[in-house]
Amino acid sequence: MSNIGYYRYKTLADSEKTVTLYVNGIAIANKYVVPLQGCDQYIVLKYIDKNGQYRFTSFNNRHRIYDSPSNIGTTNKLIVNIFTSQTGSQIIGIKNNRRYDLTGEFDEEQLEKLIDLYTSPMVYLYIGSNNSDSSNDWIEVTLNISDSIIKRRKGIFGRVDLTVILPESYNISKL
Amino acid sequence: MAITNIAIYQDNKVGGSNLVPIHSPAIFIVSVTYTDTAPTSIFVQLLDSNSQILGTYRAVPLEDVSTSIRRFMFIANEIVKSLMGDFNDQFQALESFVYIPNVTKQITLKFYDPQHTEVNASTTIDFIHGASQIGEYPNKPNVFNNSADTYFALKDTFCYVYFYNDNVNNVINVVPPTPEQLKDITFNIQDESLNPIFEAQIKCLEVPVGQIPFIIYTPVDSGTVVQTDCIIGIYQFEFSADGFETQIANYSITDDTEITITLIALPADYLELVPESVIIAHNLNSTTQIAVSSNIAWTIDDGDLTLFTLDKTSGTGDDVITITAISENTGAQRSEQFHLLGGVFDVVGTIVQAAYDDYLQLSAIVVNIGSEVGDTATFDIVSNIDWNIFHANLTFAGLDIDSGNGNQTVTITVIAKNTGAARTVDINVQGGIYNIPLAITQAATSDYLTVDKTSLLLASSIGSFKQFTISTNLEWEILASGTIFAFISELTGSGNKIITCTTFLQNNTGKYRIETLTVRSVNGLFSATILLYQDYIII
């Protein structure tokens, strides 16, 4: 009549709510959904935690986007006329690694959940809109582990700085 | 080397949770008891929830805890990880509640001696893509027990809430049944004299076709009601109470209802010796038998016996005890007693050893014979005197001799087939002072009639058909009752047969049609029923 293992309820975090599990019609367990206040431009990450559960977290809009373009290489170009030739070497193309520097403030309970983000093998960045949720609304990203420091003190909010490295971006090149 | 026992020493189950993560060490340890030289390895078989073998591995020695017990360990995490599915996220609709496969996998670990596979020990684990830390429990009790947890998400975006289910029989949801949806069912359980045994209140939720209903039980102290199956609107319940036979019944529940169930009382406890006194010959090592007739466990107190020994001192139910004389009687008749104990009973058995002069004894006190005409069985009379066999009650078998002298083998031959349950008739062998009863038991009939289905669901359209198989060695007939909506391919016949049921009416009534087919033998001794349903058109 049912399967052994995880069952998952997907709901909208529009307000604080209690989700109750009914086994054979009897309330057995409660779980709680807590919405995090935010505004537009928030960065949403999804990651799998140490219990095999996908969780969500969000960072504020004060993130920084870094592009690190680098030259793929150059080719020499023969100068046949010093007056009309434009250059003696031509760039083949540029490759770019984009990363987000994220910052957020989290309370103690949120920080406890967030620890698994740093050790998760699966971290996704939300690129969709209007609460669309399909595979093309998420891209898999990696974290810059060396920057992964959670600063926290018991009982107070803690600041989390995080660098997310996006998949390689593709650009026009002469190759 | 001989392994005599395998016992699981460390199964990683704590607090009832068998949910073991595989991304941290998952070590299983068994204690192996052996004789002679110590074993160097034992095998571990991994089986899925359908008992299919996933792989066979070796457990390696860990430590010797004594000269006859060696512990072996099986490092399961890496092996099981390779057997698990991936844990990519799956996408689901908002406000939906769905099962998430692959994150967990139920596997049975069977440790066994490769030389003697019957020596084994098993444990079933639900492995999970997860990790525990040093100092934490080796399983996930908080996840297993659905302890309170908080899920954060950006306001007005979606998030997931996870629950763990540990029982396939659970009906689970995150939506409670509404009072309007629930049907109140009262079961009045009574005995054959119509005296109430207990009452059970059940709330049953009607759900769309194909879904499973909620059943909410009101606990009762004196009995139980369990829903055991649901076949599209037909609910099967099992009723049980102490001292009564368990009963299973099907009901179509569409509204509040009250149902009366009559349970049949189990037979009262009994414990008897048949006969309570037996005679054994005067010779050393002569034997005789005495029967225990019982439906309970029993023991024998033979502490007062000095002349005889018994081959059994405990048992359950009917049994036969062989008595052996360990002393020759060279004088007058003598006797000793023993006690048969069980429940509230204390039955005294008397063993009489015959005087030196005469003896008469039988090789058995029960002779079993087949059910068919011509079947034979024998017993021996050991004696030094004249004897007669009194068998007027024996109507289903005959004896080749009914009187004689000295040792003799008597042959019994069946003259009337048994068409029902096993039956027993007592005859007596009499000679001198002896009058020894002998029970002749004819086996139950070998006839049979079974069907391979208990229910069939036909589609709503005309021409929908399903089949069932009759297995029998008898002539049979099929009787139908209820709403007749299907052709039955054959209504009479003999021997094995596949029967086809084909609808000749379309069901636009808005509810299921039900027809009950009774397959019974022409002699009326065997029958089986099949519930035939027809689905309906949803308008």
Side-chain angles (χ1 to χ4, degrees):
Chain A
M1 298 210 293
S2 58
N3 296 302
I4 290 177
Y6 272 138
Y7 278 79
R8 190 170 74 183
Y9 179 55
K10 183 178 180 181
T11 187
L12 199 63
D14 50 354
S15 62
E16 287 194 16
K17 61 174 73 171
T18 300
V19 181
T20 301
L21 175 68
Y22 293 87
V23 176
N24 299 329
I26 300 170
I28 295 296
N30 289 329
K31 307 275 178 138
Y32 307 99
V33 174
V34 176
L36 301 173
Q37 295 299 322
C39 55
D40 292 343
Q41 304 295 315
Y42 260 64
I43 300 292
V44 175
L45 297 179
K46 177 173 75 171
Y47 61 97
I48 192 167
D49 73 3
K50 64 184 177 184
N51 293 328
Q53 302 180 3
Y54 279 97
R55 290 180 179 269
F56 299 88
T57 188
S58 58
F59 290 83
N60 64 35
N61 60 356
R62 296 189 181 85
H63 63 267
R64 292 185 296 181
I65 300 176
Y66 281 96
D67 283 329
S68 305
S70 61
N71 199 340
I72 295 174
T74 58
T75 57
N76 292 330
K77 190 173 183 182
L78 182 64
I79 298 173
V80 295
N81 184 318
I82 194 67
F83 178 69
T84 58
S85 293
Q86 294 173 302
T87 180
S89 69
Q90 275 192 318
I91 294 173
I92 295 172
I94 305 294
K95 66 176 183 179
N96 185 27
N97 287 322
R98 175 166 289 185
R99 58 193 177 109
Y100 285 3
D101 278 356
L102 308 178
T103 298
E105 293 284 332
F106 299 92
D107 68 18
E108 186 180 355
E109 188 178 7
Q110 295 165 25
L111 286 171
E112 288 293 335
K113 309 293 184 191
L114 203 59
I115 292 171
D116 288 343
L117 171 63
Y118 290 91
T119 55
S120 174
M122 308 278 267
V123 181
Y124 297 92
L125 174 72
Y126 186 66
I127 58 170
S129 60
N130 300 323
N131 272 346
S132 169
D133 183 25
S134 58
S135 59
N136 57 357
D137 291 315
W138 298 91
I139 57 172
E140 193 166 342
V141 298
T142 54
L143 303 184
N144 190 346
I145 303 299
S146 61
D147 291 348
S148 304
I149 299 169
I150 292 182
K151 302 165 184 171
R152 58 179 170 146
R153 289 180 183 155
K154 192 163 182 66
I156 63 172
F157 279 70
R159 177 181 161 182
V160 173
D161 297 316
L162 190 67
T163 300
V164 171
I165 303 170
L166 274 57
E168 180 183 353
S169 60
Y170 300 104
N171 305 290
I172 295 173
S173 73
K174 292 178 179 175
L175 287 176
Chain B
M1 176 195 74
I3 294 175
T4 58
N5 187 50
I6 298 175
I8 296 178
Y9 175 72
Q10 176 177 291
D11 60 6
N12 297 302
K13 296 176 184 175
V14 180
S17 167
N18 68 341
L19 189 61
V20 175
I22 52 159
H23 294 267
S24 48
I27 315 298
F28 294 83
I29 301 175
V30 293
S31 295
V32 174
T33 306
Y34 61 91
T35 57
D36 303 330
T37 57
T40 55
S41 71
I42 61 167
F43 283 16
V44 188
Q45 204 170 58
L46 304 189
L47 305 107
D48 67 10
S49 55
N50 296 318
S51 299
Q52 297 298 310
I53 297 172
L54 301 173
T56 303
Y57 308 90
R58 288 177 190 270
V60 297
L62 174 66
E63 60 180 347
D64 289 321
V65 293
S66 72
T67 54
S68 61
I69 298 177
R70 170 172 283 188
R71 287 200 178 128
F72 289 78
M73 70 174 179
F74 175 60
I75 304 171
N77 44 299
E78 292 301 332
I79 290 170
V80 174
K81 199 187 297 181
S82 68
L83 300 173
M84 300 275 288
D86 63 52
F87 43 81
N88 291 329
D89 195 11
Q90 69 175 59
F91 295 91
Q92 67 183 97
L94 199 61
E95 306 304 332
S96 65
F97 183 60
V98 299
Y99 172 66
I100 304 296
N102 293 344
V103 181
T104 61
K105 187 179 184 72
Q106 194 172 53
I107 293 177
T108 297
L109 287 75
K110 180 182 177 183
F111 298 85
Y112 65 98
D113 174 8
Q115 306 300 321
H116 303 92
T117 56
E118 70 277 10
V119 181
N120 63 70
S122 297
T123 185
T124 298
I125 302 295
D126 197 18
F127 290 101
I128 181 174
H129 275 303
S132 289
Q133 310 304 320
I134 290 177
E136 293 181 349
Y137 286 126
N139 51 359
K140 292 278 186 185
N142 288 340
V143 174
F144 183 87
N145 295 315
N146 285 311
S147 301
D149 198 357
T150 303
Y151 294 86
F152 299 98
L154 183 63
K155 182 174 171 54
D156 294 329
T157 64
F158 46 82
C159 76
Y160 299 143
V161 178
Y162 286 80
F163 291 99
Y164 180 74
N165 178 46
D166 66 339
N167 189 340
V168 293
N169 293 319
N170 285 342
V171 178
I172 65 171
N173 208 326
V174 290
V175 180
T178 64
E180 292 74 23
Q181 292 174 304
L182 292 171
K183 309 301 179 189
D184 287 313
I185 305 146
T186 301
F187 288 111
N188 295 310
I189 318 298
Q190 63 183 22
D191 64 16
E192 293 167 286
S193 303
L194 310 186
N195 297 315
I197 304 171
F198 69 90
E199 178 183 295
Q201 306 284 340
I202 285 181
K203 286 185 180 295
C204 175
L205 178 66
E206 269 199 310
V207 294
V209 170
Q211 292 189 21
I212 302 297
F214 285 109
I215 302 289
I216 302 175
Y217 304 101
T218 300
V220 289
D221 296 329
S222 52
T224 57
V225 178
V226 178
Q227 188 210 2
T228 54
D229 200 358
C230 173
I231 310 169
I232 310 181
I234 305 296
Y235 304 91
Q236 187 176 84
F237 295 95
E238 181 180 285
F239 306 90
S240 58
D242 290 343
F244 293 88
E245 292 180 7
T246 297
Q247 184 172 324
I248 295 175
N250 296 306
Y251 299 100
S252 173
I253 297 169
T254 57
D255 207 345
D256 294 352
T257 187
E258 188 167 333
I259 298 169
T260 299
I261 305 295
T262 301
L263 297 185
I264 299 170
L266 292 167
D269 292 350
Y270 60 93
L271 180 62
E272 297 172 352
L273 280 170
V274 183
E276 291 189 354
S277 177
V278 292
I279 298 173
I280 192 169
H282 73 280
N283 314 68
L284 175 65
N285 294 327
S286 60
T287 62
T288 189
Q289 291 180 316
I290 192 167
V292 176
S293 176
S294 176
N295 61 348
I296 59 174
W298 45 263
T299 60
I300 288 178
D301 177 4
D302 59 358
D304 294 333
L305 296 182
T306 59
L307 306 174
F308 314 103
T309 59
L310 311 180
D311 69 335
K312 295 187 180 76
T313 56
S314 64
T316 299
D318 294 341
D319 210 338
V320 175
I321 297 168
T322 299
I323 302 165
T324 304
I326 56 175
S327 172
E328 183 175 10
N329 187 4
T330 57
Q333 175 179 296
R334 58 186 183 178
S335 65
E336 286 184 335
Q337 292 184 324
F338 63 93
H339 293 262
L340 176 66
L341 307 169
V344 298
F345 302 98
D346 181 357
V347 183
V348 177
T350 302
I351 307 169
V352 178
Q353 190 171 27
Y356 178 76
D357 298 335
D358 301 335
Y359 63 90
L360 172 65
Q361 67 180 81
L362 307 181
S363 60
I365 59 170
V366 176
V367 175
N368 296 306
I369 195 166
S371 63
E372 300 293 330
V373 173
D375 288 344
T376 60
T378 61
F379 66 95
D380 295 330
I381 297 174
V382 180
S383 179
N384 63 346
I385 58 175
D386 294 337
W387 44 260
N388 291 287
I389 304 174
F390 295 91
H391 55 92
N393 295 333
L394 186 60
T395 57
F396 58 80
L399 308 180
D400 62 338
I401 49 175
D402 55 13
S403 64
N405 178 276
N407 299 339
Q408 190 85 38
T409 297
V410 181
T411 300
I412 309 167
T413 304
V414 172
I415 58 175
K417 174 178 177 168
N418 189 0
T419 58
R423 53 187 176 180
T424 299
V425 167
D426 284 337
I427 64 175
N428 287 70
V429 180
Q430 191 177 37
I433 63 169
Y434 303 100
N435 185 9
I436 306 173
L438 176 65
I440 311 297
T441 298
Q442 187 179 24
T445 179
S446 57
D447 293 341
Y448 62 94
L449 184 148
T450 60
V451 294
D452 66 337
K453 301 279 194 326
T454 58
S455 64
L456 296 173
L457 175 63
L458 297 168
S460 58
S461 57
I462 297 173
S464 168
F465 68 91
K466 289 282 175 65
Q467 293 181 319
F468 66 89
T469 301
I470 300 172
S471 301
T472 184
N473 63 336
L474 301 170
E475 293 185 17
W476 48 262
E477 58 188 357
I478 300 176
L479 308 175
S481 65
T483 308
I484 308 300
F485 56 85
F487 288 117
I488 311 303
S489 59
E490 295 185 50
L491 293 175
T492 59
S494 64
N496 300 337
K497 198 74 180 177
I498 296 174
I499 304 296
T500 303
C501 306
T502 309
T503 57
F504 60 79
L505 290 175
Q506 178 174 281
N507 187 0
N508 52 11
T509 62
K511 61 183 181 182
Y512 288 95
R513 284 186 173 132
I514 303 173
E515 184 175 348
T516 302
L517 302 181
T518 302
V519 182
R520 73 178 189 185
S521 60
V522 173
N523 66 15
L525 295 174
F526 299 90
S527 69
T529 59
I530 297 169
L531 290 173
L532 202 59
Y533 302 102
Q534 186 181 19
D535 203 352
Y536 58 88
I537 297 172
I538 299 173
I539 301 171

